């Protein structure tokens, strides 16, 4: 018997679903040394999760993969609400926007099968030289108990045994991997979570929901078949979601007795197969007809609890993300979005620590930010699901809130736009009034500005890509006003002082600069000369923007007022994941110094 | 000696520049049997033409290659006008929108080097199985004089000898190709044109212009270096155009004496090389500095006349397109645009005839439409170039029109948006008042509508792709109004009659249907049921649109008024190249029958 081969890696990702792939793609872009393994032999081919929220589209766009997502996915603009009519069948109660978050850059949801989403990540990673190692699963994982080793970010304190199946000789092969960090993105039944004995809150008390799911291309006379439909009927409730390629998905909430085996208490697929599920859906949709034109493409039954893991990390060395740490009903379509956004939140923090740019303490904000969000999501999901499973008409109110009203009230939440991270080393809630609509702890909302040099309108979000750099937005006010020009020049002097964050952390190392300065002036395009700005505020000519209307008269000129920035200007620090970290006045560089000093390393 | 191999092809394209590639890509998409040959060994690597007008972007988009073009090219939004200031150097006179055509979907020009443009076509064609045969040039071309053969669209009356250079044995190889149609897209010195002895109008009388061109990444303190600049100076005039990757191009108009050899009358590159050209540009730009940061990337000198070929085809069997039939000064950036739009105009007509859908007479509209356009372009170009080469300040007026005013007056022309094709078998100028802003003979301007089934906003131009089908836009008015519903149902009855164009030509053959019906109603999204429309008006659920504002409140709802369609509705026939062919009232199917009967074959 040969000894197992041994190797080292900075980050080992276990599980190549949406969370694992989002993290792997992000770290690959950041040039972090990583591996990603999955026990499955291939990516998901059909079915599984499919809904993508407006905020998640923004995140895809920030990684340069938004265009493809938009090209391949189905857009959902309208939510239709059906209730029982006077003759027993369902009838349209109302239609409303599916997305109600007013600041959404993409004011719609997308639907694309999980395999399509995974393919976008896989192709993006492949170009960067990273591929999923399939048929590979971990069999042991241990963290060193040596506190010195754990405190040293350059150490490899995690030992994982990987077993590779399906070798050409038919024998599994073992490998020992020593990792700096491990991400368990291994799903609702997470082996990583279980191995570290992390409990799921609500595990024994939470209510379970049983869902049946059908994918098909429908033949139907149901007029809202291309909209998202929340259907209350006397024959049960269901949720219909349009899909790419003329398809639809129907989620059907089922009663225990219809699905569970009375002896085992587990799902009994003999009691409820695709034909029976279709019959249930057909009854719910009555008087409208529904027939698959080409059979049922995919179906499943599952029991889901509303639960969140008691912790999201072990010693800030092993992390869990996605379904491994929170599970939801499919109703609000949040599961996959939360999973991918967990990974988006974690990736830049891992990259900063691996690069030696940040203290290990940065990593603790992953749990504080994402667990809080998961808990809010569970709370929301419970209300929403209860509402959804409630009896129609007479009881579709909770405290006077109708189904549609609830849907819209929660719009900020289901869109992902409203996510708010609380105070931490990377969220310093000061000087909010200087930019009242760039909410500290929330993502930068979209807004168009012109480049000073060529009046080309750009979406500011596109200038805040997920490139693992902090963005420093310098709102100078009107730079043609000599008072504001003086203030901006004074800012530059402060930035050039030896004690400023820029001097301390800003010297570009081998992995490039940590800061990207974007200057935004109120000057008019007819009058501006981008060369007037101090060189530090125009590292490249494309980095100077103006808040003016474009030559076509269609966009721009509303940024200062929309963001609530006054004529005195402000400096807005944007985290690498697109969330506002803190705000300072133009003469407040010391405040920014303090912000970065709390976690950044020289 | 072996005999030359012989083969047949439907369309042989000679020359793989922008015109040839546009035609090849289009015909490849239409599944037309074609070959394209070029004597050059590789695509253009740098330099050459670069400006892409707003209309050309729309055309790229119609072939599904607009996204890549937009991703790779540099946008030009502003035109800056410089004139001599009081101290002799130039100073900014004004800045204005570079594109002034109000209906442009893309209100800017693009700049991308010709190799980048060619690569877009080459990659698109490759997927369709068509590649350029390089190092291949024609040595003989003959058209049959047999009238019967010429009149038979299925015959191959053109015999071309192709010589392939650079064989592995070092010997050129000959091949005889018999083609149904040949396109000569072989440039300003077109061998095809010369072989058929087609004269260039103005060949002996037209004025020549001499231009020097420099490509570089500039180091400069010139504040408009990222805008298009029309610079009049006491030291000569020049045109500056920003380019992708921080580059710029400068066009410098030169005097004969500076460039031409007094003995030969030809360009003498010893008299004017890149260093001297740079000096001329530097003088023009004074007091601003200009230095290439990394040398001159590309340069050229050329003499160009303003000429148009006396005919664009020989017996409607051999065609010429692009520089082969019209040459211009580079000033208005129209050359490459005109070339590609020649090919766009010709491609669908060739496809229709090859498929047996249309009479050969359709092909004569290529010359009537494009030669007229080329003549207008020459006329415009002459005025514009004279203006440009005129002395500054005191003489930059022609009949009281300033340089900037002229620039804007000609906006419709330079944008390509204003192209208007006159009456012909495919332009029947009747019932214009029913859709007063869908000008018969002009391209359909952009406008957003919602899909009835899912309220997803779509740009109508994106529903009029260059897919070689006629689009039938049925504006029903408000379909919820029973009078309009009746009129639409009556239209359907007329369409189903045996004598209607749809019955006669509409039965889908092996190459698919010739007609794509798009229905546009004025119904509100909250009330519409797409299933209410007669099946003929909804061949697919995505084909029913409504003119309503979208759920975000941002777009839509202005289509009827913008297009000038009244509540009574209209049927608008859109040619496969996106130009309005004719218009009829809802009860005017016989008018449409007549339109198609004039050239279509059953």
């Amino acid at each position: 018997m040969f000894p197992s081969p041994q190797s080292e890696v900075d980050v080992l990702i276990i599980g190549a679903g949406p969370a694992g792939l989002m993290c792997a793609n992000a770290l690959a872009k950041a040039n972090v040394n990583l591996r990603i393994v999955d026990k499955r032999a291939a990516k998901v081919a059909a079915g599984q999760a499919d809904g993508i929220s407006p905020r998640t589209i923004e995140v895809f766009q920030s990684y340069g993969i938004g265009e493809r997502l938009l090209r391949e996915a189905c857009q959902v603009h309208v939510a239709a609400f059906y209730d029982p009519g006077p003759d027993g069948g369902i009838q349209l109660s109302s239609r409303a926007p599916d997305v109600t978050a007013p600041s959404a850059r993409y004011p719609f949801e997308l639907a694309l099968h999980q395999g399509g989403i995974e393919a976008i990540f896989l192709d993006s990673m492949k170009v960067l030289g990273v591929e999923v190692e399939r048929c590979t699963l971990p069999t042991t994982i241990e963290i060193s108990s040596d506190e010195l080793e754990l405190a040293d970010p350059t150490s490899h304190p995690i030992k994982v045994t990987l077993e590779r199946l399906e070798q050409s000789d038919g024998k599994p092969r073992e490998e020992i991997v020593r990792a700096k960090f491990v991400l368990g993105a291994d799903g609702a039944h997470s082996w990583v979570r279980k191995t570290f004995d992390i409990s799921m809150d609500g595990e024994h008390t939470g209510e379970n929901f049983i869902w049946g799911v059908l994918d098909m291309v429908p033949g139907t006379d149901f007029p809202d078949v291309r909209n998202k439909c929340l259907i209350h009927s006397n024959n049960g409730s269901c949720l219909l979601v349009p899909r790419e390629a003329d398809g639809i998905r129907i989620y059907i909430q089922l009663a225990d007795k219809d699905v569970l085996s009375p002896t085992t208490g587990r799902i009994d697929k003999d009691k409820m197969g695709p034909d029976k599920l279709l019959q249930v859906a057909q009854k719910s949709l009555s008087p409208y007809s529904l027939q698959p034109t080409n059979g049922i493409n995919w179906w499943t039954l599952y029991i889901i609890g509303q639960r969140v893991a008691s912790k999201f990390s072990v010693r800030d060395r092993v992390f869990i993300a996605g379904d491994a740490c929170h599970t939801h009903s499919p109703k609000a379509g949040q599961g996959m979005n939360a999973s991918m956004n967990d990974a988006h939140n974690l990736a830049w923090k891992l990259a900063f620590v691996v690069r030696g740019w940040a203290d290990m303490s940065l990593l603790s904000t992953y749990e504080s930010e994402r667990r809080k969000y998961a808990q809010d999501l569970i709370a929301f999901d419970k209300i929403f699901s209860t509402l959804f499973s409630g009896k129609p008409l007479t009881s579709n109110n909770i405290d006077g809130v109708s189904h549609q009203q609830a849907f819209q009230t929660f719009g900020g939440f289901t869109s992902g736009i409203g996510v708010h991270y609380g105070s931490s080393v990377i969220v310093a809630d000061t000087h909010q009034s200087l930019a009242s609509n760039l909410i500290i702890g929330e993502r930068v909302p979209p807004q168009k500005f012109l480049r000073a040099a060529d009046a080309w309108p750009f979406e500011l979000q596109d200038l805040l890509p997920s490139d693992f750099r902090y963005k420093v937005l310098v709102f100078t006010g009107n730079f043609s006003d000599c008072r504001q020009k003086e203030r901006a020049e004074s800012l530059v002097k402060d930035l050039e002082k030896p004690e400023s964050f820029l001097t301390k952390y800003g010297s570009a190392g081998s992995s490039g600069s940590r800061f990207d300065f974007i200057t935004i002036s109120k000057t008019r395009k007819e009058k501006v000369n981008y060369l007037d700005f101090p060189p530090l505020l125009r590292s490249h000519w494309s980095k100077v923007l103006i808040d003016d209307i474009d030559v076509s008269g269609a966009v721009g000129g509303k940024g200062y007022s929309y963001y609530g920035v006054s004529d005195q200007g402000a400096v807005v620090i944007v985290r690498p994941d697109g969330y506002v970290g803190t705000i300072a006045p133009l003469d407040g560089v010391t405040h920014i110094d303090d912000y970065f000093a709390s976690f950044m390393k020289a």
Side-chain angles (χ1 to χ4, degrees), chain A residues 97-306:
Chain A
D98 183 46
V99 168
T100 52
S103 82
R105 177 174 179 187
Y106 307 98
F108 45 80
E109 280 186 281
L110 292 180
L112 180 63
H113 70 103
Q114 189 172 324
I117 294 160
E118 292 183 14
I120 293 174
F121 287 120
L122 293 170
D123 291 346
S124 171
M125 286 159 52
K126 195 170 183 176
V127 173
L128 300 164
V130 177
E131 296 195 57
V132 176
E133 300 168 44
R134 299 203 175 272
C135 303
T136 302
L137 77 174
T139 53
T140 71
I141 183 166
E142 289 165 41
I143 303 188
S144 163
S145 56
D146 180 338
E147 291 295 331
L148 281 178
E149 193 180 356
L150 285 172
D152 173 10
T154 66
S155 72
H156 293 76
I158 315 162
K159 183 179 157 191
V160 180
T161 310
L162 291 181
E163 192 172 291
R164 190 171 306 243
L165 313 168
E166 299 186 16
Q167 294 297 306
S168 51
D169 57 10
K171 286 177 198 156
R173 198 147 298 170
E174 275 198 352
E175 177 190 358
I176 305 295
V177 178
R178 290 181 187 277
K180 289 178 180 167
F181 302 98
V182 168
L183 175 63
D186 50 348
H189 302 287
S190 171
W191 173 86
V192 175
R193 184 188 73 224
K194 288 175 186 165
T195 306
F196 284 102
D197 212 20
I198 300 171
S199 63
M200 291 295 272
D201 284 356
E203 191 134 29
H204 304 293
T205 57
E207 192 182 359
N208 288 323
F209 291 92
I210 306 175
W211 292 88
V213 186
L214 286 174
D215 282 356
M216 71 181 86
V217 174
T220 182
D221 59 1
F222 181 57
D224 280 279
V225 70
R226 298 309 306 168
N227 292 323
K228 180 169 171 177
C229 296
L230 293 91
I231 298 162
H232 279 170
S233 89
N234 291 331
N235 301 304
S237 295
C238 65
L239 171 67
L240 185 154
V241 185
R243 289 280 295 270
E244 72 279 7
D246 290 356
I248 61 166
R249 164 167 292 184
I250 303 180
Y251 291 95
I252 304 150
Q253 198 167 345
L254 300 166
D256 290 10
K257 66 178 170 49
D258 297 330
V259 187
L260 302 187
S261 154
T263 48
T264 66
R266 288 168 175 268
I267 285 177
D268 178 354
K269 290 206 171 182
D270 288 337
K271 292 189 75 164
M272 182 63 73
D275 295 341
K276 278 194 190 158
L277 265 180
L278 179 61
Q279 282 168 24
V280 175
Q282 284 166 330
K283 268 194 184 167
S284 293
L285 276 175
S286 166
Y288 298 105
S289 66
L290 175 74
Q291 276 299 336
T293 58
N294 202 14
I296 299 293
N297 297 336
W298 186 78
W299 74 282
T300 194
L301 291 173
Y302 62 99
I303 307 184
I304 194 94
Q306 313 269 54

Side-chain angles (χ1 to χ4, degrees), chain A residues 328-404:
Chain A
H328 320 271
S329 85
K331 181 59 196 326
Q334 292 308 301
M336 184 170 62
N337 290 289
S339 298
M340 293 193 286
N341 282 293
D342 285 347
H344 176 57
N345 182 285
L346 179 62
W348 72 272
K349 297 170 184 175
L350 283 175
F352 266 48
V353 171
V354 168
R355 286 175 178 176
W357 287 2
D359 200 86
M360 293 270 290
S361 67
L362 175 62
L363 295 170
S364 69
T365 63
Y366 168 65
E367 179 174 301
S368 65
E369 293 187 335
R370 295 307 297 177
R371 186 158 182 273
K372 168 72 166 53
Y373 172 71
Q375 285 171 324
D376 291 350
L377 186 53
I378 298 293
F380 155 76
D381 205 347
K382 275 186 180 158
I383 296 171
F384 206 71
S385 294
T386 307
L387 210 56
F388 183 66
S389 53
K391 284 260 183 297
L393 277 182
T394 50
S395 62
N396 72 342
N397 291 270
I398 286 187
D399 297 338
V401 179
S402 81
H403 199 179
Q404 184 190 334

